[in-house]
Amino acid sequence: MSSTTPPPPTFDWKSRYFFVTTSVALLATFTYAFTTFFHRNIAALSFKVAMLAANLAMVYRVYYSTPYPTFSLTGMKAWLASFVNTNNFQYCVFCFLFTNGQPIFMALAPLMIHCAYQWMTIVDKQFGTNRLWEKFGKDLYAKAQLNMEVALILCASLEIGLWLFLMIEMITPARNPLRIILYLNFLRLRYRCTDNTVLRMKFTSYNTKFYHEQIWNQLGEKLAPVLNFKFIQPGFQFVKKWFTGGY
């Protein structure tokens, strides 16, 4: 019997698009990190480019995975429901909130973690037999896959910690009360998000809701002595019910 070599994977339009956008996002992030302490203008531009590139990737993913709406009240509700609870749409909102204004590395980091995973997935699929990738990237990618849960916990921690950062920012000239309110609603969406895919990368286990619940529960345990005061409990329970939707 003659053995046949399987054909190489097709480097289709979608793969090329995500490869280019994630590459630009990662390169811009490295430029931002390198220049942030000695050339603020280049750092600010690099931050914006990284956010825009990540946003373009997310927008395209939402576009081609969302069905066209039916122009009726029921149809529009169903159409909105088909993408509002997805990671990619929520990250589009996230990019809208942080692309302009003062660069914040904590806002860039979760996006770049996802971009890095997507980039490595494409490279491993398309160039897995390349000698350079086999020597320098193969093991790194395998370790990243094994530690995806840790990476996703880190993303959830950064997203929640960013709201605390924005609260502290209220005492500075860069304060933005509207962004704090909008971001709290973003975190509320993240807490309810049952999606397990970012870009075209599927989580190895659990979903976004699981990882956000873990971080909020840890915060609740640490703040329990304060939250258990009688005069705080009613307000805390009201906010908790609003935020979790009764979960």
Side-chain angles (χ1 to χ4, degrees):
M1 296 179 65
S2 61
S3 60
T4 57
T5 304
T10 304
F11 202 14
D12 59 7
W13 159 250
K14 290 178 183 177
S15 297
R16 292 171 188 268
Y17 182 88
F18 287 115
F19 177 73
V20 170
T21 51
T22 54
S23 295
V24 171
L26 292 169
L27 286 171
T29 300
F30 290 137
T31 305
Y32 165 71
F34 183 71
T35 59
T36 190
F37 295 110
F38 62 86
H39 205 303
R40 290 186 178 181
N41 290 337
I42 293 178
L45 179 61
S46 300
F47 176 86
K48 184 172 290 189
V49 169
M51 294 291 285
L52 288 172
N55 198 17
L56 284 172
M58 302 291 177
V59 166
Y60 181 61
R61 182 66 170 87
V62 173
Y63 167 74
Y64 79 74
S65 60
T66 303
Y68 289 106
T70 302
F71 292 100
S72 65
L73 182 59
T74 304
M76 292 301 292
K77 285 182 178 179
W79 178 69
L80 287 171
S82 68
F83 64 83
V84 168
N85 194 40
T86 65
N87 285 309
N88 291 296
F89 172 76
Q90 290 174 11
Y91 276 130
C92 289
V93 175
F94 183 87
C95 291
F96 171 76
L97 291 174
F98 292 102
T99 297
N100 295 311
Q102 188 74 16
I104 304 173
F105 182 76
M106 194 181 291
L108 194 57
L111 294 172
M112 293 309 109
I113 289 172
H114 294 304
C115 284
Y117 267 99
Q118 181 64 76
W119 186 87
M120 287 190 291
T121 300
I122 294 171
V123 172
D124 188 66
K125 182 179 179 181
Q126 303 296 334
F127 312 107
T129 57
N130 181 278
R131 289 184 180 180
L132 286 175
W133 177 250
E134 288 182 339
K135 186 175 181 179
F136 299 107
K138 204 81 171 178
D139 290 342
L140 179 63
Y141 176 61
K143 289 177 181 177
Q145 288 293 104
L146 287 174
N147 291 283
M148 187 181 287
E149 286 187 33
V150 177
L152 293 172
I153 281 285
L154 177 59
C155 287
S157 301
L158 288 166
E159 289 169 22
I160 293 169
L162 184 55
W163 186 73
L164 301 176
F165 175 85
L166 294 176
M167 292 295 290
I168 295 171
E169 198 179 53
M170 283 295 291
I171 62 175
T172 72
R175 58 184 173 271
N176 189 333
L178 178 59
R179 185 165 65 174
I180 288 177
I181 295 170
L182 293 174
Y183 192 69
L184 183 59
N185 279 274
F186 166 81
L187 288 178
R188 188 171 177 239
L189 286 175
R190 301 298 284 157
Y191 188 87
R192 302 177 182 200
C193 182
T194 55
D195 189 18
N196 65 347
T197 304
V198 176
L199 298 174
R200 302 175 82 184
M201 180 200 72
K202 192 169 184 178
F203 300 169
T204 52
S205 55
Y206 308 112
N207 57 32
T208 297
K209 176 178 168 58
F210 172 84
Y211 295 107
H212 273 253
E213 277 185 339
Q214 300 302 304
I215 303 304
W216 283 114
N217 288 340
Q218 290 176 21
L219 282 174
E221 290 174 4
K222 291 179 180 179
L223 296 174
V226 176
L227 298 176
N228 286 332
F229 283 124
K230 289 184 178 180
F231 65 91
I232 292 179
Q233 266 293 308
F236 170 69
Q237 290 301 327
F238 175 80
V239 172
K240 181 180 177 181
K241 187 174 181 180
W242 168 79
F243 187 86
T244 62
Y247 292 120

